[in-house]
Amino acid sequence: MISTLLVANRGEIARRVFRTCARLGIERVAVFSDADSSAPHVAESDAAVRLPGNTPAETYLRIEALIAAATAAGADAVHPGYGFLSENAAFARAVLDAGLTWVGPSPESIEAMGSKVTAKRISSRAGVPVLSGLDPAEVTEDDLPVLVKASAGGGGRGMRVVRSFDELAAAVDSARAEAASAFGDETVFCERYLETGRHIEVQIVADGHGTMWALGERECSIQRRHQKVIEEAPSPAVGHRLREELFEAARKAAKAIDYVGAGTVEFLVTSDGRFFFLEMNTRLQVEHPVTECVTGVDLVELQLAIAEGNRLPLEPPASNGHAIEVRLYAEDPAAGWQPQTGTLHRFSVPGDVRVDSGVVDGSVIGVHYDPMLAKVIAWAPDRATAARKLATALAGATIHGPRTNRDLLVNVLRHKAFRAGEIHTGFFERHGLDTLARPLGDPRLAAIVAALADAAADRGSGPGAWRNVWSAPQRRMYTVDGVEHEVAYTYQRSGVVVNAPDLDAEVQVVQTSPGQVVLEVAGVRRTFEVGRYPGLVCVGPVALTPVPRFTEPGAALAAGSLVAPMPGTVLRVAVAAGDRVEAGDTLLWLEAMKMEHKVSAPAGGVVAELPVTVGQQVDVGAVLAVVRPVEESEERP
């Protein structure tokens, strides 16, 4: 039996595995990078081993360092989690060669499905429908649109949609570069792109004695940048007949490689009920909690039991009810899904929901790892109730710090198309981010609350500020999403009076304190909790930046400056100083949080300055380029 388990991963993943270990009486060994030295998964372990460095390549991707850590801590088994080395056959072999128990499928099974090209070939021979792969050099106009995919990839990296033939070469080159950086393998292929297919996956669990379960399906169609955002079980689009066909196809794919352990077979399902094999993930999936919620099983416990040589019952447990999971990311959907960094001052989610998180109050969201903060999962007897529970819990969550996709998630869960089950991989494009990412709170009202809370903090315990003679109102300014909101208020015998003409509703101040403000708006009393931090005020779901009355000398940037939206590494540069560019032209690419991010010219002009080079690390706000308008004299012939 396993007595001490090293989890070769971090954050939410490690905490999830540790939770099962604690219940089973298995000692927990963590590994951590320098950036993760104070991470929650380290604090929750029984022993922890430092991996010197910060980047994944320096730490969590070093096989020899992980084996040494397991040996040093006295572990007798290794669980890879998901991501990093979880689908690396060489790592699985190294664990086994060290005499340790590997909690996962055989290295041979991992290898067989490690290449998407090979996986399609194996599955096709097993009788599973596949979308045939295309050599990028052989793609024609008639094949469009196509999806360029990294053969060794996952998580949306190394993927590009191509709808115009003249974009193909650049997309292939970009995908190869990203694939080489993320996976060490630049191999890419193309396949026909279905704009509005459904992404349906089947959970497989198999023991070493011949029993294999198809433990339900999951709907994972709502995605951004080919990465899943919302998952649920069961799928609202899968009926009994299609479910059985998917289960049979998944079992065929898994049996073709003698699969043992927990894994997932992913399919693309068309509107007419046809389906095609996409890939098999030879590991636990991020979205596994929805399957756990509807079946009552602990998939990590099953993994451990199978690794110990135990048998599964002959029949899988039945499913009950409906579960929905959302991935809460530190990112800005309205700004091209840019990852966000900074201190997460407070984090809590109310209600009867499951929260699998890698963060706690005070956690620092850095640039080295994926920006997912937590997964929030709701179960209910029916889908509508599960969606309502989850939306309400998210809307009421306290998330003070970097911007997140919380508002987007709530809006999707409440959207009539989602409620009707009308979802597909093009959901965001179909319904528009301008609608789906709209703020939950009113920034004008939030600015009033922030001003009153800040004023209460400034007054402290001193006497009131009312005057018996007229005086000019006091003013405070805040920005929300780059828009300034000025608040004017005066102190009178009756209390604080706010001038709020933009609200089209009468606002009466009932009570103020630095952490809470009570207002009556149009006759309805509402209480607002306020979080106040240096350079940040949080009022419900609205984050406000106080505008100082006096600007620091030298703080202004040169006109036309393009600054880094996040810390990262300059990956490629497409222009040189002196080049003319048009609006929308890509100037350079940043790599941050395992993804590429374009930096484009906001308007036409000349690249006046280019102070960065390939490989350079930049902080948020660093000037990357300066684009100035072409002078009128230069435009004349």
Side-chain angles (χ1 to χ4, degrees):
M1 293 184 68
I2 295 171
S3 62
T4 304
L5 181 74
L6 180 140
V7 178
N9 223 294
R10 64 178 297 277
E12 172 267 327
I13 303 166
R15 296 182 83 191
R16 165 66 191 92
V17 178
F18 284 168
R19 189 164 64 246
T20 294
C21 289
R23 185 170 55 78
L24 298 178
I26 298 173
E27 291 195 5
R28 303 156 294 179
V29 179
V31 286
F32 63 94
S33 67
D34 292 337
D36 279 341
S37 61
S38 300
H41 79 276
V42 178
E44 292 173 4
S45 66
D46 298 300
V49 180
R50 174 181 175 243
L51 304 174
N54 288 311
T55 67
E58 296 171 324
T59 56
Y60 301 105
L61 294 176
R62 289 183 58 210
I63 293 175
E64 70 282 0
L66 293 165
I67 299 298
T71 302
D76 56 358
V78 173
H79 192 301
Y82 29 96
F84 291 141
L85 294 172
S86 62
E87 293 179 282
N88 187 297
F91 182 43
R93 286 195 179 96
V95 170
L96 294 170
D97 290 345
L100 305 173
T101 297
W102 168 252
V103 184
S106 69
E108 292 75 22
S109 292
I110 295 173
E111 215 156 42
M113 290 296 176
S115 162
K116 289 185 174 65
V117 174
T118 303
K120 283 175 177 285
R121 189 180 307 122
I122 292 171
S123 298
S124 180
R125 286 202 299 261
V128 180
V130 301
L131 280 175
S132 58
L134 302 170
D135 185 326
E138 298 176 358
V139 173
T140 68
E141 288 273 8
D142 294 337
D143 296 318
L144 299 178
V146 295
L147 183 63
V148 182
K149 301 178 74 171
S151 180
R157 283 159 286 164
M159 284 191 181
R160 303 289 187 275
V161 177
V162 178
R163 295 184 173 85
S164 172
F165 190 75
D166 57 9
E167 298 173 353
L168 179 63
V172 169
D173 289 344
S174 177
R176 280 180 175 150
E178 189 173 12
S181 173
F183 313 113
D185 182 349
E186 68 171 14
T187 305
V188 300
F189 67 98
C190 296
E191 66 184 19
R192 186 160 55 94
Y193 181 60
L194 303 180
E195 299 274 3
T196 58
R198 284 180 179 261
H199 188 123
I200 309 292
E201 61 189 30
V202 177
Q203 177 69 60
I204 290 292
V205 183
D207 64 21
H209 305 280
T211 298
M212 179 176 290
W213 290 352
L215 196 59
E217 86 282 353
R218 296 186 287 257
E219 170 90 52
C220 307
S221 297
I222 296 188
Q223 305 177 1
R224 57 98 165 99
R225 301 176 75 162
H226 311 293
Q227 290 180 306
K228 302 163 189 172
V229 178
I230 299 178
E231 302 103 349
E232 56 185 306
S235 166
V238 175
H240 177 73
R241 179 177 176 180
L242 178 57
R243 179 170 292 114
E244 289 305 314
E245 291 175 350
L246 288 168
F247 286 4
E248 180 60 22
R251 285 190 290 258
K252 284 180 179 178
K255 288 177 180 178
I257 58 170
D258 298 321
Y259 197 80
V260 173
T264 302
V265 185
E266 303 194 350
F267 299 95
L268 190 67
V269 179
T270 63
S271 57
D272 58 3
R274 292 178 299 142
F275 62 88
F276 303 94
F277 171 88
L278 288 176
E279 62 181 324
M280 182 174 184
N281 293 127
T282 53
R283 54 170 169 80
L284 202 63
Q285 293 279 87
V286 177
E287 57 273 19
H288 75 273
V290 293
T291 296
E292 293 183 326
C293 287
V294 298
T295 62
V297 305
D298 181 329
L299 285 169
V300 173
E301 182 176 358
L302 288 179
Q303 286 185 299
L304 297 171
I306 291 169
E308 291 176 331
N310 295 320
R311 293 176 178 269
L312 292 171
L314 292 179
E315 295 297 327
S319 293
N320 176 41
H322 201 98
I324 305 175
E325 171 183 294
V326 297
R327 302 190 192 188
L328 183 67
Y329 286 100
E331 67 181 10
D332 185 354
W337 311 99
Q338 286 180 358
Q340 305 292 296
T341 58
T343 300
L344 186 64
H345 301 287
R346 288 186 62 197
F347 177 71
S348 66
V349 183
D352 178 24
V353 294
R354 170 175 166 176
V355 180
D356 287 11
S357 74
V359 296
V360 294
D361 291 357
S363 290
V364 176
I365 313 305
V367 68
H368 300 295
Y369 314 114
D370 186 271
M372 190 174 76
L373 304 179
K375 303 177 307 193
V376 186
I377 309 101
W379 177 91
D382 59 84
R383 184 173 185 270
T385 304
R388 184 176 62 195
K389 282 177 61 175
L390 188 53
T392 300
L394 285 168
T398 300
I399 310 170
H400 294 173
R403 181 188 298 276
T404 73
N405 65 337
R406 181 255 301 274
D407 293 5
L408 171 86
L409 298 173
V410 174
N411 288 329
V412 171
L413 291 169
R414 292 173 173 171
H415 196 281
K416 62 181 182 180
F418 179 86
R419 292 293 181 92
E422 298 169 358
I423 53 182
H424 46 73
T425 54
F427 189 90
F428 290 142
E429 290 76 14
R430 171 71 60 85
H431 299 289
L433 279 179
D434 55 341
T435 297
L436 298 175
R438 69 183 184 277
L440 293 179
D442 186 333
R444 300 167 302 173
L445 189 58
I448 292 172
V449 172
L452 295 174
D454 280 346
D458 290 345
R459 292 199 312 274
S461 58
W466 70 270
R467 301 185 181 189
N468 58 6
V469 295
W470 182 90
S471 65
Q474 299 187 43
R475 299 180 183 276
R476 293 178 186 262
M477 183 86 73
Y478 301 86
T479 61
V480 179
D481 296 332
V483 178
E484 292 188 341
H485 298 272
E486 186 180 59
V487 180
Y489 57 95
T490 57
Y491 291 95
Q492 300 178 7
R493 283 183 182 273
S494 57
V496 189
V497 176
V498 176
N499 179 20
D502 293 341
L503 276 179
D504 297 326
E506 183 181 359
V507 176
Q508 293 186 349
V509 180
V510 178
Q511 182 182 339
T512 66
S513 70
Q516 187 182 84
V517 172
V518 182
L519 301 178
E520 278 194 7
V521 182
V524 179
R525 182 168 295 194
R526 301 187 185 278
T527 300
F528 300 87
E529 303 298 327
V530 183
R532 302 173 57 258
Y533 313 96
L536 175 70
V537 181
C538 296
V539 179
V542 182
L544 306 99
T545 302
V547 178
R549 293 181 63 189
F550 304 102
T551 305
E552 291 287 333
L557 292 171
S561 294
L562 300 177
V563 299
M566 70 207 80
T569 302
V570 179
L571 196 61
R572 299 191 300 280
V573 176
V575 296
D579 287 354
R580 288 198 182 191
V581 294
E582 300 298 328
D585 284 355
T586 301
L587 306 182
L588 53 89
W589 290 262
L590 281 181
E591 184 177 50
M593 294 181 175
K594 303 197 296 185
M595 296 294 292
E596 282 191 13
H597 307 274
K598 288 183 181 180
V599 176
S600 303
V606 174
V607 180
E609 298 177 34
L610 192 68
V612 296
T613 57
V614 172
Q616 182 176 336
Q617 297 276 339
V618 295
D619 292 326
V620 63
V623 176
L624 304 175
V626 178
V627 177
R628 294 189 178 132
V630 178
E631 297 296 331
E632 183 176 346
S633 59
E634 295 179 355
E635 296 179 338
R636 294 171 182 166

